């Protein structure tokens, strides 16, 4: 287990423990949690003291994640009821973990059931629950598959006949597995579910805070095919077509409201893979209420400069970055701030992800012929003051957007590029005249989302010399940094990260930069002029977060280039 930072803390006595035990029984809570409150201890301080007094080694979330649960030794039902579990480490060695050191008979029971003895380790109840939750729904569904395999042999095609209407009532084990995965993902704040086929079954992964984490494995090629078929049925896709990509969507009811899922099916070497994008519109709408740039985490200087661009009477404001970097959310925040009811604001998007009051939002429908370009032409006849174009994808849309900005409209839009300077090349490749572009363009914001270290388990961390060198950190500047890293706990699913912040790179256009672009000067000279005009690069914004101890070098190396 990682060493907990030393600090002054009260030493517990046996009398303290007896009192805490009595209070825990009276309150119906874990003794560890009572100790935390009564003695102002952190979760791991209370756990360490209990382990020291009862002579048990302790395990944290990071230790748990390095092991695999052995539900063959103790069933999932028993594990849930008794709060003890048998684990297997990478070397195949078995150990036991439990939450309450006062329950000595628990060890006797577990070892009697398993027919062998174990080394026992103490874990925090929150970590135990979080670790078990990763396997809970899948294990229950897989138990159903195993128990009913004898009666369903040869009937795997039955899943093809199921309809979306009977989702909640259906007892088919494969349907249970799919629904349990959806439920777990919604509960965990997941943005995408990846269902990947491999040689022996399926691997399920969740995208949390922009990074994929493993959620579990499902053994059996037949079960894997049935799971993909079930997703196709829910999405109204062709279950017989397995050689070409397919896209669809479906809805489910959860806690009284509808949640949309966008589905992409892709053929692979071992069958098919599926990616499900979760669009919880109610949560998104709640998040949009009162949304301002401060909530996205931008630094004060970048916010001030971007707000200035957003309040110009006309011109084009561009936000750029890779998929999933928060471009649309940033534009919505800007539009929400300037939406005072005095201007006609119209958006065209694919799809409309957030509902904004008082704004006309138009969804792209390419099957019906409503493309970005055609929709934008129609918007210009609808007397708009400000326009948002979800994304510039083609030369026609780019030309119309630039012309709209030149004819008195304020145009917000996004384009895929790596930084603010690459945007110029993107428009050039789409055939936009450089003079028209720089005349229309007010400024460009490039952004990334950086994961923040979990505040519940973050502790001081000393980067290795190799990491410092690869990150471009000079030894004589180390005093400027407050290196912190999350150890991994139940609240962050053992990742050490919870939540994200946006970092920005701003290019505010001025006459010097416009002249350099029109003259097709080298990018080096444009960067020098931008620096004189106050541009701060993405890497510099990311390093500020490391200096504050809010994220790690590994994380900023993941999303930004080392200068």
């Amino acid at each position: 287990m990682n060493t907990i930072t030393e600090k002054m803390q009260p030493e517990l006595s046996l009398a303290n423990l007896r009192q805490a035990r009595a209070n825990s029984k009276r309150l119906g809570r874990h003794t560890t949690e009572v100790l935390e409150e009564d003695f102002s201890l952190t979760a791991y301080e209370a756990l360490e003291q209990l382990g020291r007094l009862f002579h048990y080694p302790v395990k944290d979330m990071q230790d748990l994640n390095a092991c695999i649960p052995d539900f063959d030794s103790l069933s999932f039902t028993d594990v849930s009821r008794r709060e003890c579990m048998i684990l297997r480490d990478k070397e195949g060695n078995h150990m036991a973990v439990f939450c309450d050191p006062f329950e000595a008979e628990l060890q006797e029971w577990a070892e009697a059931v398993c027919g062998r003895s174990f080394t026992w380790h103490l874990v925090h109840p929150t970590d135990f629950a979080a670790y078990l939750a990763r396997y809970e729904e899948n294990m229950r569904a897989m138990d159903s598959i195993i128990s009913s395999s004898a009666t369903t042999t040869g009937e795997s095609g039955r899943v093809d006949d199921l309809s979306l209407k009977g989702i909640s009532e259906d007892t088919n084990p494969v349907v249970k597995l799919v629904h349990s995965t959806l439920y777990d993902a919604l509960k965990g704040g997941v943005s995408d579910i990846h269902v990947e086929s491999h040689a022996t079954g399926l691997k399920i992964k969740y995208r949390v805070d922009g990074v994929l984490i493993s959620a579990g494995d499902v053994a059996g090629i037949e079960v894997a095919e049935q799971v993909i078929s079930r997703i196709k049925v829910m999405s109204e896709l062709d279950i017989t077509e397995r050689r070409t990509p397919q896209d669809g969507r479906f809805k489910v009811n959860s806690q009284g409201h509808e949640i949309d899922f966008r589905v992409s099916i892709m053929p692979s070497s071992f069958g098919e893979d599926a990616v499900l994008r979760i669009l919880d519109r109610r949560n998104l709408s709640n998040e949009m209420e009162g949304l301002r740039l401060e909530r996205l985490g931008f630094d004060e200087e970048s916010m001030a400069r971007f707000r200035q661009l957003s309040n110009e009477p006309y011109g084009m404001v561009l936000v750029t970055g890779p998929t999933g970097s928060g471009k649309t959310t940033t534009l919505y925040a800007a539009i929400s701030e300037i939406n005072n009811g005095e201007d006609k604001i119209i958006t065209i998007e694919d799809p409309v992800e957030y509902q904004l009051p008082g704004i006309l939002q138009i969804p792209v429908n390419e099957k019906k012929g409503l493309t970005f370009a055609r929709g934008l032409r129609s918007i210009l006849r609808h007397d708009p003051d400000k326009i948002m174009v979800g994304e510039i994808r083609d030369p026609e849309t780019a030309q119309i957007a630039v012309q709209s900005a030149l004819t008195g409209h304020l145009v917000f839009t996004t384009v895929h590029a790596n930084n603010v300077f690459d945007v110029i090349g993107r428009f050039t490749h789409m055939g936009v005249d450089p003079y028209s572009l720089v005349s229309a363009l007010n400024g460009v914001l490039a952004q990334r989302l950086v994961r923040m270290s979990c505040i519940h388990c973050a502790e001081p961390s000393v980067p290795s010399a190799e990491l410092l060198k690869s990150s471009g950190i000079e030894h004589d500047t180390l005093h400027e940094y407050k290196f912190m890293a999350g150890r991994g706990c139940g609240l962050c699913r053992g990742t050490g990260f919870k939540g994200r912040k946006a970092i920005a790179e701003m290019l505010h256009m001025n006459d010097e930069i416009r002249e350099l672009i029109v003259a097709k000067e080298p990018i080096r000279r444009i960067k020098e002029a931008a620096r004189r005009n106050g541009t701060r690069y993405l890497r510099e914004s990311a390093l500020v977060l490391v200096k504050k101890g809010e994220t790690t070098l590994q994380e900023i190396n993941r999303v930004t280039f080392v200068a």
Side-chain angles (χ1 to χ4, degrees), residues 482-535:
K482 180 183 177 183
F483 294 112
M484 300 286 289
R487 181 178 57 253
C489 65
L491 295 174
C492 62
R493 285 179 169 255
T495 63
F497 297 96
K498 191 169 182 63
R500 292 187 288 180
K501 273 189 177 182
I503 56 172
E505 178 178 281
M506 279 290 308
L507 175 63
H508 207 136
M509 301 294 288
N510 61 14
D511 290 341
E512 180 186 9
I513 295 174
R514 288 187 172 96
E515 290 171 2
L516 292 172
I517 294 174
V518 171
K520 298 182 180 180
E521 292 288 339
I523 196 69
R524 176 181 54 82
R525 292 199 59 195
I526 298 175
K527 285 184 176 181
E528 290 172 353
R531 174 68 84 179
R532 290 192 295 272
N533 195 36
T535 294

Side-chain angles (χ1 to χ4, degrees), residues 226-282:
Q226 291 179 15
V227 168
I228 297 295
S229 293
R230 174 58 191 166
I231 294 172
K232 286 183 177 180
V233 168
M234 295 172 70
S235 310
E236 299 182 354
L237 299 177
D238 185 356
I239 62 172
T240 64
E241 178 55 70
R242 300 183 177 182
R243 295 169 296 178
T244 59
Q246 298 188 68
D247 296 312
R249 61 178 59 212
F250 65 86
K251 296 181 180 181
V252 298
N253 288 315
S254 176
Q255 298 179 345
H257 72 285
E258 287 187 345
I259 297 173
D260 295 328
F261 288 80
R262 282 191 294 170
V263 179
S264 172
I265 306 291
M266 192 72 64
S268 70
S269 302
F270 301 106
E272 292 176 289
D273 286 13
V275 174
L276 289 69
R277 167 66 58 87
I278 301 174
L279 297 173
D280 188 346
R281 296 186 186 277
R282 187 178 73 170

Side-chain angles (χ1 to χ4, degrees), residues 21 54 56 82 98 100-111 120:
R21 178 62 170 170
F54 283 89
Y56 288 120
R82 304 298 294 265
F98 70 131
D100 193 342
F102 289 93
E103 295 190 12
E105 72 281 0
L106 188 65
Q107 300 179 33
E108 298 178 8
W109 168 81
E111 292 179 351
W120 286 84

Side-chain angles (χ1 to χ4, degrees), residues 17-292:
L17 290 182
R18 281 194 292 268
Q19 183 60 44
R21 178 62 170 170
N23 290 341
S24 70
K25 287 184 175 181
R26 178 172 55 84
L27 299 172
R29 301 175 62 189
H30 281 282
T31 307
T32 311
E33 296 171 342
V34 173
L35 287 173
E36 293 168 25
E37 293 184 3
D38 290 351
F39 295 92
S40 299
L41 298 172
T42 68
Y44 289 98
E45 287 170 353
L47 187 67
E48 278 197 323
Q49 292 218 31
L50 277 176
R52 189 159 51 246
L53 286 167
F54 283 89
H55 304 290
Y56 288 120
V58 296
K59 294 283 185 184
D60 64 9
M61 194 67 187
Q62 186 174 348
D63 297 323
L64 292 178
N65 286 333
C67 300
I68 300 172
D70 185 357
F71 293 121
D72 292 331
S73 296
L74 284 182
S75 70
F76 183 85
T77 302
D78 286 337
V79 168
S80 303
R81 187 176 67 252
R82 304 298 294 265
E83 288 192 320
C84 71
M85 188 187 318
I86 309 302
L87 301 177
R88 188 174 66 250
D89 63 19
K90 294 179 180 179
E91 288 73 35
N93 301 316
H94 284 79
M95 71 188 77
V97 296
F98 70 131
C99 301
D100 193 342
F102 289 93
E103 295 190 12
E105 72 281 0
L106 188 65
Q107 300 179 33
E108 298 178 8
W109 168 81
E111 292 179 351
V113 170
C114 299
R116 55 177 296 189
S117 61
F118 300 97
T119 56
W120 286 84
H121 302 257
L122 199 60
V123 296
H124 194 277
T126 303
D127 288 349
F128 186 93
Y131 182 73
L132 192 60
R134 292 174 51 190
Y135 298 90
E136 177 181 3
E137 298 296 339
N138 284 348
M139 280 304 303
R140 288 178 177 168
M142 288 307 299
D143 285 344
S144 299
I145 292 174
I146 294 170
S147 63
S148 61
S149 60
T151 59
T152 57
T153 302
E155 299 181 4
S156 60
R158 287 172 54 192
V159 70
D160 297 341
D161 298 326
L162 296 175
S163 65
L164 187 60
K165 182 180 179 180
I167 288 176
S168 59
E169 298 89 4
D170 201 288
T171 57
N172 184 288
V174 172
V175 176
K176 277 189 176 182
L177 177 58
V178 173
H179 290 164
S180 66
T181 301
L182 301 182
Y183 174 80
D184 185 47
L186 290 172
K187 187 169 63 174
V190 173
S191 62
D192 302 84
I193 304 170
H194 288 240
V195 183
E196 302 175 352
S197 299
H198 54 79
T200 59
L202 283 178
K203 178 175 285 292
I204 300 173
K205 298 178 180 178
Y206 295 154
R207 187 175 294 280
V208 181
D209 289 337
V211 176
L212 287 177
I213 61 173
S214 177
D217 295 279
V218 180
I221 297 175
E222 184 179 356
V223 174
E225 293 176 350
Q226 291 179 15
V227 168
I228 297 295
S229 293
R230 174 58 191 166
I231 294 172
K232 286 183 177 180
V233 168
M234 295 172 70
S235 310
E236 299 182 354
L237 299 177
D238 185 356
I239 62 172
T240 64
E241 178 55 70
R242 300 183 177 182
R243 295 169 296 178
T244 59
Q246 298 188 68
D247 296 312
R249 61 178 59 212
F250 65 86
K251 296 181 180 181
V252 298
N253 288 315
S254 176
Q255 298 179 345
H257 72 285
E258 287 187 345
I259 297 173
D260 295 328
F261 288 80
R262 282 191 294 170
V263 179
S264 172
I265 306 291
M266 192 72 64
S268 70
S269 302
F270 301 106
E272 292 176 289
D273 286 13
V275 174
L276 289 69
R277 167 66 58 87
I278 301 174
L279 297 173
D280 188 346
R281 296 186 186 277
R282 187 178 73 170
N283 283 348
L284 293 174
S285 297
N286 291 340
E287 291 174 4
M288 292 305 298
E289 292 182 8
L291 179 64
R292 298 178 64 84

